[in-house]
Structure formats: C-alpha cells, structure tokens
Amino acid sequence: MARSLIEWLWQHEFWLPPGITWEDMQETEDVHYPQPRHLLLSFPFALLLVAIRWAFERAIALPLSRKLGVRDKKRPKAQPNATLETFYSTCCKNPKVEELINLAKECDLPLRMVERWFRCRRNTERPSLSKKFCEACWRFTFYFISFFTGIAVLYDKPWLWDHRECWTGYPQQPLQPSLFWYYLLELSFYWSLVFTLPFDVKRKDFKEQIVHHAATIFLISFSYCANYIRIGTLVLVIHDASDCFLEPTKIFNYMKWKKTCDSLFMIFAAVFLFSRLVIFPYTVLYNTYYYSMEIFQPFFGYYLVNALLSILQLLHIFWSCLIIQMVYKFLLQGTMEKDMRSDTEESDKEAERVKIREKEKNGIAYFSDVTSNIYTQRNGSEALNNRAHLTNGHLKER
C-alpha cells in the first residue's frame, strides 16, 4: 500500500508540465537535476543550525547583551498557592472579574492580592529581555549571511535581471552546486525555526508565523522537486532583504537606543513595503502566473505553486497593515511605538486601566478586595444613616 501511495504521489503529471516525464529528467555525468532525496539533508543541517544557534547565543549574544547594557527586569515571583496554581494551569491564565472574586473568597485573600498573583504568574512566563536580544542577534546574523549569499549566488544569473529567463528550458534546467547549497541553507534554517518554535519568543502573530513557516517549507520543498529553483531563489532573496533591517531594529530597541531604533524602523518599513507589496507581486506572482504560460500549459504544480505564493502574499499584507499602523503612530507621536506583535509585561497601572475599561464596558461594580466588601456589608446601615438625602428638593442630613 505504501508503495502504491508513493507511486501515486510521484506521478509526473503532478510535478512536471504536460509532455515531460521523469525519464526526461534523468541525470548524466555532466548534467544534474534536483532529486527529492536531497531534501532529507535539510534535517541534519537544521539540527546543526540549532546547535550553532545555542552556542552563538551563549558564547556571543548573551555576553554582548551585558556589555551593551541590556538588563532583565526583576520580576516578583508569585507566592505558592495550590488553588490559584491549579486554576492557572487548568482553567485560565487571565481570569475574569467574577472568577477573581470567587477565587479570593475560596482562598480567603484580598482581591487585590489575587489579581497581583495572576499578574506575577503571567509575567514569569514572558521571555526576558536578554532572551529576546539573543534571538534577534541570531536571526540578524543568519539573515545577513543568507541575503548576501543569495546576492553572491545570483548576481551573474540571467533570471535575476530578466525574469522570463526563469522559464527558459523549463523544467530541464540543470542544478548548479551554488544553487543547491543556497537552497539547502534556507530550507534547513526554516526547519530549525520549527524545531525551536516551543522555546522561541511567542508574539501575538504566533499563528501567522506557523502558517508562514509551513507555507515556506512546503514551497521550498515543492519548488525544489519540481525544479522551480530559479523562481524560488528570487523569493528567498526578496524575503531576506527586509529581514536584515527588522532584527537590528529589535536589537537597538532592547538597548533603548531610541533614535537609532526609529531610523532603522523607518528603513525597514520602506524596504518591507516596497519588496513585499511591489517587487514580490511583480517579480514573483506575475512571473509565475503569466510568464510561465509562455512556455507550458497549466498543470497541478502550476496551481499549487501559485496558491502557496498567494498565501505568502496574504501574510505580507497582514504584516504590512501592522507596519503601516506603527508608521502612522510614529509620524503622529515622533517616536516608534513598541512592536505591536510583542507581548509586554503587565504593571499595576496597566492592570488598573484594564479593570477600569472592563468595569465601564460591562457595567460590573466590584470592590477592591474582599475585606472591604465585607466591611461595607456589615456597616451599610451606618453609612446609610450618615448619607445626605433630598426631600422636596432640599438637602437634609440624618
């Protein structure tokens, strides 16, 4: 059954244009084509990148963060409480007002203390500033190397300057060693991001990042098997161009170099919007959708590649909207807002503002703690007697 499934999966109708079979893609001593088995090398290389990253962050990035003055905030630890910990682990990490009141009564604690416990508990799970710094340093190092590696590999290739050259002789385009290693480097890196996903800094666009990684890995793998290498190299270079500015923007933000951070952010925004919303649609989407039809008729691989590229473009639009919002706030306020994707630590003032907004929104009246609530209930008659009343429009005291 497995053999039948493999034979069905590798039907040439799925991967190659009409009139071309796998026999036409046979290698010789002088001509080599992409082989699916080559992709298996990306797994050990991905593990190697994970090991290199681990050593880089501890031997270079972490000492560098200390020398540059990046300091982690001291976070108060939540006091051990079995009831609150059970609720936090099994039910909800950010309970509603009614749930906080019930937990305060159950634990015989002031409501304010229960709120503070949950806030401290959430903050302990947030990544430290040094962790964010190390991650940004590693990604900047890789994107910088991969971008200039791509430029070095492609600068003398005809399809970099004339995009119709992506389809000249397709799919019988020999695989050059430099293109193979460049492809393997990029695929291994995205696999390494998947391997470290549970340990990396989680941002608000975590789900979109997962979709992006999955679409990118599938696109790189499929484009390699179907010999879409030329168009694939253009996609990789375009993506790395803006990422080279994003990571140093984060680094200077963690260092609190505001002016440098703001300047780099504006450069990143310009490069990202131009490369992802102008160059990518014309150089890649228009190329694969229209220019390829000058060489062959549509087939399954044609539709699949365009669908994956369209998913990437939708993600580009999503992130472009976030960037445009940040640019708009920058122009209004004169300084860059913190990353809208970041999950920042909570403070008491922030919690107070959240509670006030929640109270105004839901019309929920509650007391600051359980003891004050009990006190008000017990002494309500006295408060009522001392209250001023209006009788026939006149103020009277009792």
Side-chain angles (χ1 to χ4, degrees):
M1 183 177 178
R3 184 173 183 179
S4 301
L5 180 61
I6 293 175
E7 291 178 355
W8 174 84
L9 179 63
W10 292 107
Q11 294 182 72
H12 60 83
E13 291 86 358
F14 291 165
W15 302 87
L16 302 174
I20 303 294
T21 64
W22 290 116
E23 284 73 18
D24 300 318
M25 303 292 294
Q26 293 295 326
E27 294 184 331
T28 64
E29 293 183 359
D30 300 325
V31 178
H32 298 278
Y33 294 112
Q35 301 295 327
R37 64 178 181 273
H38 296 163
L39 298 177
L40 296 177
L41 291 174
S42 63
F43 292 107
F45 274 90
L47 296 176
L48 178 62
L49 284 177
V50 172
I52 293 174
R53 173 182 173 176
W54 183 87
F56 173 86
E57 290 184 352
R58 281 152 183 78
I60 298 177
L62 189 58
L64 182 63
S65 69
R66 293 168 181 167
K67 290 184 178 180
L68 294 176
V70 178
R71 296 289 184 267
D72 295 330
K73 293 182 180 179
K74 293 183 178 180
R75 298 170 175 171
K77 294 183 179 181
Q79 296 297 323
N81 189 301
T83 302
L84 299 181
E85 184 66 36
T86 301
F87 186 91
Y88 182 89
S89 303
T90 59
C91 298
C92 179
K93 295 183 178 181
N94 197 358
K96 298 179 180 179
V97 175
E98 296 88 345
E99 294 173 331
L100 288 171
I101 294 175
N102 293 333
L103 287 170
K105 292 179 179 179
E106 185 178 351
C107 298
D108 193 21
L109 293 173
L111 178 61
R112 186 66 175 156
M113 186 177 295
V114 176
E115 291 175 336
R116 187 179 293 110
W117 189 94
F118 277 93
R119 186 165 53 253
C120 294
R121 186 67 177 82
R122 288 192 295 267
N123 283 337
T124 56
E125 291 190 350
R126 289 185 170 91
S128 63
L129 201 60
S130 59
K131 178 178 175 61
K132 294 180 180 180
F133 181 91
C134 293
E135 180 178 314
C137 284
W138 164 250
R139 296 197 181 198
F140 168 68
T141 302
F142 177 85
Y143 289 135
F144 184 85
I145 293 174
S146 64
F147 175 71
F148 284 99
T149 298
I151 295 296
V153 168
L154 295 177
Y155 83 97
D156 60 343
K157 303 298 187 295
W159 63 87
L160 180 63
W161 315 105
D162 182 3
H163 305 320
R164 280 188 168 88
E165 287 293 326
C166 289
W167 312 109
T168 301
Y170 180 83
Q172 295 170 305
Q173 298 170 337
L175 175 62
Q176 302 177 20
S178 59
L179 297 178
F180 166 75
W181 288 109
Y182 177 54
Y183 238 67
L184 184 63
L185 174 67
E186 292 280 358
L187 181 59
S188 301
F189 175 71
Y190 281 101
W191 272 121
S192 72
L193 292 182
V194 173
F195 295 160
T196 59
L197 205 59
F199 313 103
D200 288 341
V201 176
K202 290 182 175 61
R203 304 184 186 276
K204 294 179 181 179
D205 60 347
F206 180 71
K207 294 180 180 179
E208 289 80 7
Q209 286 285 357
I210 294 177
V211 174
H212 176 269
H213 294 343
T216 302
I217 290 174
F218 196 83
L219 182 58
I220 292 176
S221 302
F222 180 83
S223 63
Y224 185 85
C225 295
N227 206 10
Y228 279 108
I229 297 240
R230 294 186 178 184
I231 197 69
T233 53
L234 297 180
V235 174
L236 296 173
V237 168
I238 290 172
H239 277 73
D240 290 340
S242 59
D243 291 333
C244 286
F245 294 98
L246 173 62
E247 301 305 328
T249 302
K250 296 179 184 178
I251 292 173
F252 285 110
N253 183 41
Y254 303 145
M255 294 167 55
K256 302 187 185 304
W257 290 21
K258 292 298 296 180
K259 292 184 178 179
T260 305
C261 176
D262 293 345
S263 301
L264 278 175
F265 172 74
M266 296 304 293
I267 296 174
F268 158 73
V271 174
F272 185 95
L273 296 175
F274 184 71
S275 62
R276 305 293 179 94
L277 300 183
V278 179
I279 295 180
F280 185 84
Y282 173 72
T283 303
V284 177
L285 293 180
Y286 188 83
N287 194 352
T288 56
Y289 192 80
Y290 288 105
Y291 288 165
S292 60
M293 292 297 94
E294 299 176 358
I295 307 299
F296 53 79
Q297 295 298 314
F299 65 106
F300 177 80
Y302 165 83
Y303 294 114
L304 182 58
V305 165
N306 279 281
L308 293 171
L309 292 174
S310 298
I311 292 175
L312 286 182
Q313 184 59 22
L314 291 176
L315 292 171
H316 296 164
I317 295 173
F318 169 79
W319 284 313
S320 296
C321 292
L322 295 181
I323 292 172
I324 291 172
Q325 291 181 40
M326 296 177 70
V327 171
Y328 178 73
K329 291 182 179 180
F330 174 82
L331 296 176
L332 289 181
Q333 301 175 3
T335 184
M336 189 190 73
E337 278 287 310
K338 54 192 173 185
D339 191 349
M340 297 178 67
R341 304 175 305 144
S342 297
D343 188 16
T344 54
E345 292 190 27
E346 299 172 79
S347 63
D348 287 343
K349 292 182 179 180
E350 291 174 346
E352 288 293 338
R353 288 195 294 267
V354 171
K355 288 194 296 181
I356 292 173
R357 289 196 298 266
E358 188 74 13
K359 183 178 179 180
E360 293 174 348
K361 180 179 178 181
N362 301 324
I364 298 174
Y366 61 94
F367 298 95
S368 60
D369 53 50
V370 176
T371 56
S372 63
N373 189 15
I374 297 174
Y375 178 85
T376 305
Q377 292 175 356
R378 290 180 178 176
N379 299 279
S381 58
E382 181 182 352
L384 182 62
N385 292 332
N386 293 330
R387 192 178 304 167
H389 293 272
L390 282 173
T391 305
N392 296 325
H394 298 282
L395 183 64
K396 290 187 176 181
E397 293 287 338
R398 288 191 177 181

